[in-house]
Amino acid sequence: MSDATTTQPGAEWWRTAVIYQVYPRSFADASGDGVGDLAGIADRLPHLQALGVDAVWLSPFYRSPQHDGGYDVADYRDVDPLFGTLADADRLLAEAHDLGLKVVVDLVPNHTSNEHEWFQEALRAAPGSPERARYIFRPGTGDGSEPPNNWQSVFGGPAWTRVADGEWYLHIFDTSQPDLDWLNPEVPAMFDDVLRFWLDRGVDGFRVDVAHGLMKAPGLPDVDEDAITTGSMESPFFGQESVHEVYRRWHEVLAEYDGDRMLCAEAWVHPLEKMARFVRPDEMHQAFNFVYLETPWDARRLRQVIDESIAEFGAVGAPSTWVLSNHDTIRHRTRLALVPQPPHGVGIGPTSVSKADAEVSLRRGRAATALMLALPGGAYVYQGEELGLPEVVDIPAEARQDPTFHRTNGEMWGRDGCRVPIPWEADAPGYGFSPNGASWLPQPASWATYARDAQVGVPGSTLELYTEALRLRREHALGAGTVEWIDAGPDAVAFRNGDVVVIANVGHDAIDLPAGELLLASTELHAASLRADETAWVRVPR
Ligand code: NOJ
């Protein structure tokens, strides 16, 4: 157990934390095989401390055949050799804690890899056996050659695959990700042990993958034909109320440990009231605010989602979170500049990411971040956004690795464009991502300008904007503050949080700034007014 003490209810670290998402494959590669690893992350942790975040969340680094970037776990209690060893994980945890950074790890309970020993046992066992009962095996329909129902995989194609003896198994994601049967008591028992395994090693929390998907509607009924859409959020396999039992149980497990351990739900559910059910006092602690992520650059809709988020999460005593980018969605600077802005739901099928105007995109991306980081609650920053990275849209088909691309014969591009290894040093091979320039996805030739060493200490750089915003956020306790709306016109998102007035110009016409001390501007200001796609923080004591 950690020796960190537990704080008073209401003052836990995660309520106001800025959590930086590391996608291990693409963060830093110490071994030189072109795939990021735990040693690489540990070496670069001081940069994250300097950036000023409170915690890091690591996407999966467990033993896995990597058919879905590690979200296909073959052993929940071991590190994949691609990423290092358990000793590397321990070192990473220790070094992060020494730097004052909390560490949140990913937990993938909806499905295992098809290489997990349970699934291998299930394949060897007969229909009806206890080994098969840990997963969702069913006979087919008709003469048995049709799937048990009409469910579609989030990654495209049927959600069922037939095995040699004729039975079918369910996989809401890739064929290599069989869904577990959470009604089988062996499954929750195994995950209690997995939680304890990592809690004992000192992790500060878990980001829970597909938290809305663990339970399926009784009888596995067909999806209403009219409602079949890839990644549908309301369906017999997503958003069932019975999932909450699981999180009440996990709440108890975490409560056995000191140090305010936390759970964050990845739950793509609508509306916000339903999302907030994941963070009732006896369940999880945070939920990603995907409704905010999905909100277009539109002042009225932004004001509305901020209000509703604070109200709905507040109604259950939880902080809201705010998030703009992650490893599943089009990077926000690119996404917010697209016309029309694409639906990004699970973010898995950007069919039409084309040419977003590069200048609008960066200005708007930075303005959106400056708005987000001024909001009370927790916030998530995805690796590379602090460098201003755009989505990479021209990855050649043969280099693409997301199963979505392959399962849809290239119709959906998938998520490789936001997963390209990030640039550290402008002049180094592979921009310093790996010692020899190797990279599992090709890095654009134009990325030297985004490299961290090209931005550190450079006034006006995106990295300096993030660093300064995080410093000011802490200094003015914005994470623990409140939103009091100010009327600055229909195209403004304007509010006071403590002694800071925040204004984002989401329209075209200039907006006057209030008199006061200018603390932060998302772009260099030319006058006491904000142009389109600019956000400013002004200190205006009451
Ligand atoms: C959500 C994860 O963020 C995504 O990357 C993954 O493909 C699916 N869940 C399936 O685990």
Side-chain angles (χ1 to χ4, degrees):
M1 279 198 202
S2 151
D3 56 8
T5 51
T6 300
T7 46
Q8 290 297 315
E12 298 93 345
W13 67 272
W14 42 263
R15 288 185 176 272
T16 57
V18 177
I19 302 182
Y20 182 98
Q21 181 189 357
V22 170
Y23 190 67
R25 297 177 67 86
S26 306
F27 187 71
D29 169 23
S31 71
D33 64 357
V35 179
D37 45 42
L38 298 185
I41 300 169
D43 292 345
R44 301 284 189 175
L45 282 175
H47 292 283
L48 301 184
Q49 186 198 37
L51 177 61
V53 297
D54 302 288
V56 291
W57 147 38
L58 304 170
S59 282
F61 49 79
Y62 314 112
R63 201 172 269 277
S64 159
Q66 303 290 320
H67 293 307
D68 182 24
Y71 283 94
D72 48 326
V73 181
D75 185 346
Y76 292 86
R77 299 180 189 80
D78 202 3
V79 173
D80 196 278
L82 198 56
F83 299 119
T85 61
L86 271 176
D88 291 328
D90 290 340
R91 174 187 152 216
L92 173 52
L93 267 166
E95 292 188 8
H97 287 157
D98 285 349
L99 292 169
L101 296 167
K102 307 272 188 196
V103 179
V104 173
V105 296
D106 225 297
L107 187 74
V108 188
N110 179 68
H111 44 265
T112 68
S113 158
N114 58 350
E115 293 189 11
H116 190 280
E117 64 172 358
W118 273 8
F119 195 70
Q120 290 300 312
E121 285 169 16
L123 289 181
R124 286 193 296 269
S129 62
E131 289 82 2
R132 290 230 167 153
R134 294 165 177 152
Y135 294 91
I136 303 180
F137 278 86
R138 294 287 183 278
T141 48
D143 64 357
S145 65
E146 293 300 317
N149 64 26
N150 68 355
W151 296 2
Q152 296 292 297
S153 154
V154 170
F155 292 160
W160 296 91
T161 290
R162 199 173 191 193
V163 299
D165 57 38
E167 273 210 316
W168 297 75
Y169 70 86
L170 177 69
H171 52 87
I172 295 301
F173 295 89
D174 190 46
T175 326
S176 61
Q177 293 166 298
D179 281 51
L180 287 161
D181 186 350
W182 272 85
L183 296 175
N184 181 336
E186 279 190 73
V187 173
M190 192 262 267
F191 277 93
D192 285 0
D193 288 350
V194 171
L195 287 174
R196 289 202 171 88
F197 179 87
W198 291 103
L199 289 165
D200 288 340
R201 296 192 106 84
V203 304
D204 299 286
F206 300 89
R207 172 268 189 196
V208 180
D209 191 61
V210 200
H212 54 314
L214 274 48
M215 297 291 188
K216 281 52 180 185
L220 311 184
D222 273 354
V223 172
D224 176 354
E225 285 290 346
D226 297 334
I228 296 184
T229 50
T230 302
S232 164
M233 297 193 194
E234 301 300 328
S235 73
F237 51 86
F238 281 157
Q240 299 292 308
E241 278 302 299
S242 44
V243 293
H244 295 287
E245 283 308 316
V246 177
Y247 308 128
R248 292 194 187 98
R249 177 179 176 128
W250 290 1
H251 184 101
E252 293 300 315
V253 174
L254 265 69
E256 293 169 20
Y257 290 78
D258 61 5
D260 300 326
R261 315 294 175 103
M262 59 84 95
L263 296 162
C264 177
E266 190 228 14
W268 291 91
V269 292
H270 286 140
L272 274 158
E273 181 272 326
K274 192 161 182 178
M275 190 179 284
R277 286 184 219 162
F278 285 81
V279 288
R280 287 176 288 196
D282 58 350
E283 296 194 35
M284 300 213 205
H285 306 85
Q286 286 190 335
F288 290 115
N289 189 343
F290 292 132
V291 181
Y292 183 71
L293 183 150
E294 292 178 302
T295 304
W297 190 239
D298 174 290
R300 188 187 57 78
R301 291 178 65 180
L302 282 165
R303 288 192 299 264
Q304 188 181 355
V305 71
I306 292 168
D307 256 346
E308 281 178 14
S309 303
I310 292 172
E312 295 296 353
F313 287 111
V316 294
S320 185
T321 62
W322 312 100
V323 57
L324 289 167
S325 284
N326 63 30
H327 66 293
D328 290 331
T329 52
I330 304 167
R331 282 193 177 275
H332 74 266
R333 68 161 275 196
T334 303
R335 190 182 72 232
L336 293 173
L338 291 172
V339 183
Q341 286 174 27
H344 20 264
V346 284
I348 282 167
T351 48
S352 62
V353 178
S354 53
K355 312 261 182 306
D357 177 295
E359 204 216 335
V360 171
S361 146
L362 187 55
R363 284 170 65 83
R364 196 171 283 178
R366 291 166 54 129
T369 297
L371 173 62
M372 174 179 88
L373 291 178
L375 291 167
Y380 279 82
V381 169
Y382 173 52
Q383 67 179 36
E385 64 170 89
E386 78 281 17
L387 305 175
L389 295 185
E391 182 83 359
V392 182
V393 295
D394 54 1
I395 301 174
E398 60 279 10
R400 289 193 178 267
Q401 305 219 5
D402 189 340
T404 313
F405 183 80
H406 301 287
R407 286 181 67 86
T408 63
N409 293 322
E411 209 173 289
M412 288 161 75
W413 285 5
R415 303 155 294 175
D416 293 317
C418 63
R419 298 176 175 180
V420 174
I422 63 172
W424 294 90
E425 284 107 30
D427 297 327
Y431 308 117
F433 164 67
S434 65
N436 50 12
S439 172
W440 68 282
L441 281 174
Q443 297 170 295
S446 57
W447 270 19
T449 53
Y450 294 112
R452 183 165 301 251
D453 73 345
Q455 299 197 43
V456 174
V458 176
S461 72
T462 304
L463 181 61
E464 288 303 313
L465 172 69
Y466 271 73
T467 308
E468 188 61 1
L470 290 169
R471 188 186 70 72
L472 288 163
R473 176 185 159 92
R474 192 181 297 249
E475 183 180 308
H476 293 271
L478 300 182
T482 53
V483 164
E484 295 169 49
W485 292 110
I486 293 171
D487 185 1
D491 289 335
V493 178
F495 59 89
R496 172 185 278 281
N497 182 348
D499 60 359
V500 180
V501 167
V502 177
I503 306 183
N505 186 344
V506 184
H508 299 289
D509 300 334
I511 296 174
D512 289 339
L513 286 175
E517 177 196 353
L518 180 67
L519 297 174
L520 186 85
S522 62
T523 323
E524 196 189 346
L525 300 186
H526 295 297
S529 66
L530 283 179
R531 292 164 304 171
D533 303 321
E534 283 179 340
T535 298
W537 299 4
V538 185
R539 186 169 167 270
V540 186
R542 284 179 204 276

